[in-house]
Amino acid sequence: MKRRIGDFSPSCIAESGQCFRMRRTGENEYSLIAGGRFLSVREEGGNEFSFSCSEGEFEGFWKHYFDLDTDYSAYRKLCLPDDAFLKKCISFGDGIRILNQDPFEMLISFIISQRKSVTAIRTSVERLCNALGEEIKSGDDVLTHAFPKPERIASADTSVLSDCGLGYRTEYVREAALGVMTGEIRLSEMNGLKTDELIERLMELKGVGIKVASCEALFGYHRLDTAPVDVWMKRVLENEYGGAFPQEYLPAAGVLQQYMFNYARITKLHEET
């Protein structure tokens, strides 16, 4: 099926560091696995995109997943008139949206993310899915794997988790999965908490610090007032904003942070190659 969609860029979303199972598969084409589903998206030009799913699946799942009912121009309008840096970031990352992702997948993914590059995170997450996730078919009937359920991770041998490149994060991942499986960690109930309370609750989990908790709040619970600060964003804030977001940006700090993070990481990587 095809759709004309404004303010949407699969390429920018794939490189923005918020999801680890979206990858480029060809010129202007990307594949994605989420919610136990496989999707291929092709940019056709002129804001037209081809999706490898039915109209019903697009309306019932992917439209919400890509946050397509949200007007992102309203967030961009928060940019202060004299903020040349943010304007540059917005132009560079035009089409980024904050995905509506599964809280458990995000919790495990960002526990894994500690002290890893985006490429290394993708590799570990993919290995974890291939080792423990349920098989699903891609559009070419090639078998791939969904993100593992909590019980599969909780009951996996340590060697299996270690082989996924988790390192010291292995026990953090296992304990988080075990907590969700047993109901000790009730991720769905946390959705009712205020953002600061949500982050505090998440930080009670072993292996979850402020950065991981903030990523989970933003990408797992869509708390757009949360802006995770990693090494890239620390540099941005120190170099451009005196160490902290302008107050005017806080209501949508998570969205604006994505533009900044994407620009800082990608342009720096290009400088290094």
Side-chain angles (χ1 to χ4, degrees):
M1 59 151 282
K2 290 186 178 182
R3 281 290 177 92
R4 187 175 297 276
I5 305 170
D7 204 7
F8 175 62
S9 171
S11 59
C12 286
I13 292 170
E15 295 300 326
S16 65
Q18 62 175 302
C19 60
F20 305 109
R21 306 209 69 202
M22 187 172 184
R23 63 186 182 91
R24 184 173 180 174
T25 53
E27 187 174 0
N28 301 321
E29 188 168 357
Y30 295 81
S31 69
L32 172 64
I33 300 169
R37 298 169 171 85
F38 173 90
L39 181 72
S40 179
V41 185
R42 176 182 289 276
E43 302 179 33
E44 303 289 359
N47 290 334
E48 188 169 66
F49 302 86
S50 294
F51 296 88
S52 66
C53 62
S54 66
E55 291 275 354
E57 183 177 332
F58 181 85
E59 290 292 332
F61 183 81
W62 295 111
K63 188 176 182 180
H64 173 70
Y65 180 86
F66 287 119
D67 206 29
L68 295 179
D69 284 328
T70 300
D71 178 12
Y72 275 67
S73 67
Y75 301 135
R76 294 195 297 272
K77 288 177 182 177
L78 292 172
C79 180
L80 296 171
D82 61 347
D83 192 340
F85 176 75
L86 180 54
K87 289 179 181 178
K88 188 188 305 182
C89 295
I90 289 172
S91 177
F92 185 83
D94 186 30
I96 287 177
R97 289 173 176 267
I98 305 298
L99 305 177
N100 286 289
Q101 301 187 78
D102 176 69
F104 177 69
E105 179 175 345
M106 289 299 95
L107 176 62
I108 299 301
S109 296
F110 282 104
I111 288 176
I112 291 172
S113 78
Q114 299 173 79
R115 299 183 180 275
K116 280 181 176 282
S117 67
V118 171
T119 299
I121 301 165
R122 286 175 178 158
T123 298
S124 288
V125 169
E126 200 62 27
R127 287 177 179 173
L128 185 68
C129 294
N130 290 339
L132 300 172
E134 294 181 1
E135 290 185 344
I136 57 175
K137 289 184 178 180
S138 73
D140 297 324
D141 289 333
V142 176
L143 290 178
T144 185
H145 296 83
F147 195 84
K149 297 183 181 301
E151 54 269 25
R152 289 281 290 163
I153 297 177
S155 61
D157 288 341
T158 299
S159 61
V160 173
L161 298 178
S162 296
D163 286 346
C164 297
L166 306 190
Y168 70 87
R169 310 159 196 83
T170 296
E171 287 309 309
Y172 300 158
V173 167
R174 185 196 301 281
E175 289 196 24
L178 182 61
V180 173
M181 182 187 75
T182 61
E184 181 180 349
I185 301 172
R186 299 181 182 274
L187 294 177
S188 60
E189 292 182 4
M190 290 188 191
N191 198 37
L193 299 174
K194 295 180 180 179
T195 300
D196 57 348
E197 296 173 340
L198 172 62
I199 291 175
E200 287 180 9
R201 183 74 63 83
L202 289 167
M203 288 178 65
E204 294 174 1
L205 306 181
K206 189 173 181 180
V208 176
I210 183 62
K211 186 254 185 179
V212 172
S214 298
C215 287
E216 169 73 339
L218 177 58
F219 303 125
Y221 290 92
H222 213 70
R223 301 301 176 88
L224 302 186
D225 57 341
T226 299
V229 177
D230 69 341
V231 62
W232 296 107
M233 282 306 300
K234 185 176 181 180
R235 292 173 188 170
V236 166
L237 294 178
E238 289 177 349
N239 293 338
E240 303 293 337
Y241 300 103
F245 274 97
Q247 288 293 314
E248 294 87 345
Y249 294 169
L250 295 183
V255 177
L256 302 182
Q257 171 266 349
Q258 279 298 99
Y259 292 122
M260 296 175 189
F261 171 86
N262 179 66
Y263 177 82
R265 189 179 75 87
I266 299 300
T267 56
K268 183 62 178 178
L269 288 178
H270 286 173
E271 289 176 5
E272 294 174 350
T273 58

